[in-house]
Amino acid sequence: MTDLYQQTIVEHAKRPRNFGPLPGANRGAQGVNPLCGDEIELHLRVEGDRVEAATFEGAGCAVCVASASMMTLAVKGSSAADAARLMQRVRDLVAGGDGKNLGEIESLKGVARYPARRKCALLAWRALEAALAGEATQVSTEL
Amino acid sequence: MNLWRDFPALDQAVHGKPLVYLDSAATSQKPRAVIDAISRFYEQDNANVHRGVHALAERATAQLEDARERVRRFINAARADEIVFVRGVTEAVNLVADSFESDRDEIVVTALEHHSNLVPWQRFKVRVAGVDDRGDLRLDELEKLIGPRTRLVAAAHVSNALGTINPVEKIVKLAHDKGVAVLLDGAQAAPHLKVDVQRIGCDFYAFSAHKMYGPMGIGVLYGKAALLDAMRPWQRGGEMVQKVSWESATYQKAPYRFEAGTPDVAAAVGLRAAIEWLSGKDLLEHEQGLLRRGIDVLQTIPGVRLLGAPRERIGILTFTVEGVHPHDVGTVLDQEGIAVRTGHLCAQPLLERFGQTAVVRASLAAYSRPEDLDALGAGLHKVRETFG
Ligand SMILES: Cc1ncc(COP(=O)(O)O)c(C=O)c1O
């Protein structure tokens, strides 16, 4: 059991960081999981090429919320290109890839053994991708 | 009653723990008798039906029609040609939505419907009779909604989300008093209750084999003969025609006019075996006993909240665990070998009515055992520990 619900994940799920609205946000996207009705709303403040701040709101399972919480911490201050690279690493991680140098995010490694839960882990990241691309305002796990 | 042994799939370990299958409302496991009947059909009798003169074709055709007759007796329909084989409830509802003709444009449903008895009707104007906080239908509301514009009343016999047994005879009476026909979704009723379509008086009744110990891929639409014969054909092609020219065709009578193409004969054989397995077993008392135990178990666990408390219900326990998302509950239970359903249960508007977007559902069947519910209780303690 502990391989999925790592202490880090449970902690982030119970006390998500950067949870709430973001004053001055200029980008955003909503992520929905039609399978369970989960919805998270991601807010970004982007200046130039840099993510100055990221917050999220909504409800989801522990994997989804923890992943969103860790994401908002990780992308703060990074460029769009850095964020895209990180996103790809997380995709690889939950598909069984290695998590070296990913810090806390490595705690999502266990998700690889639960194919049905991968989309929960990726929801916030997909919203990030959409928000940075600045086009779609809603993304779904079912694509 | 030790029916558990009849079900080979139950006897296995999951994540190193003995399987506790509490997802029978999604699909039941299949008894050995059903699995064997299907194999036997493919090993001995497989041929296409209604189109050959050779021995195997005759045997296959006879088996399909035997199954139809067995279904007729199972739900006490007046005639075997009132039994249409379909893929399941979803297909049955779509068939009626497409083929039942009327110049009225309103469909009255209950708030307890599964998406499959709601979405196919949304091309008409859907009017919804609500439920109270227990999850019991407000019959008075239903009565008020039925009027001169009502095309059909479409109602669940039993709710897949709360287990509520709807007062179907009363529903039929209310509708018929106003000259309106009734379709009942029996997906969750057929496995548990004695269904007598003539006593209920409904015009259409649909159920799926896979929820009543039979195979996936087949279900039944019962329709009163006069109504079926007046309905336009649905899918068109082989089997359902009488005479065909380049330009046109004449159609068979019901049920064949609704059974275009090669049917799943093996599944019909499996359905028949499932009905035979069910017959003579009085499961209701067994399942009601387990239901009471399940409620007791859940009520002792802090933070567990049951959704609804219908007065008449089958063995469905839908609940939430405070502070833990249903998906996480489901995953922790899975690690303990316990299979439950999590999510919106294909009843999103109903869950919304109860202030939820997702829930956990444990559902019981003939093979459920008291120890399954104790395992669920232990599993839920584990959930609380993990997220404590
Ligand atoms: C009440 C109810 N109606 C309809 C359905 C749909 O049945 P099927 O998927 O077999 O078409 C289900 C089960 O999924 C159900 O529980």
Side-chain angles (χ1 to χ4, degrees), chain A residues 102-130:
Chain A
L102 282 176
E104 279 193 329
I105 292 175
E106 195 179 349
S107 63
L108 289 170
K109 194 177 173 64
V111 175
R113 292 188 43 219
Y114 301 81
R117 305 301 298 280
R118 275 183 214 164
K119 47 184 94 169
C120 311
L122 291 177
L123 186 61
W125 297 86
R126 301 203 40 202
L128 173 67
E129 189 171 41

Side-chain angles (χ1 to χ4, degrees), chain B residues 88-90 114 116 160 185 187-188 208 210-211:
Chain B
V89 170
T90 305
H114 184 279
S116 66
N160 69 301
D185 167 2
Q188 298 294 343
S208 298
H210 71 93
K211 296 195 197 273

Side-chain angles (χ1 to χ4, degrees), chain A residues 1 5 14 38 60 62 114 117, chain B residues 325 327-328 331 335 344 357 388:
Chain A
M1 197 62 246
Y5 295 110
K14 284 166 75 175
D38 284 355
Y114 301 81
R117 305 301 298 280
Chain B
H325 190 283
H327 272 182
D328 297 319
T331 297
Q335 291 301 302
H344 56 50
T357 52

Side-chain angles (χ1 to χ4, degrees), chain B residues 51 91 94-95 97-101 123 228-252 255-262:
Chain B
R51 36 176 102 156
E91 188 167 279
N94 276 280
L95 192 163
D98 284 351
S99 295
F100 177 77
E101 298 186 69
R123 83 176 89 144
L228 287 181
D229 278 328
M231 275 159 56
R232 59 173 166 241
W234 190 49
Q235 296 179 332
R236 291 143 205 264
E239 309 272 10
M240 53 82 67
V241 283
Q242 272 175 337
K243 186 163 179 13
V244 178
S245 68
W246 288 123
E247 296 79 24
S248 65
T250 56
Y251 305 117
Q252 298 245 42
Y256 304 109
R257 67 159 54 200
F258 301 112
E259 294 181 358
T262 300

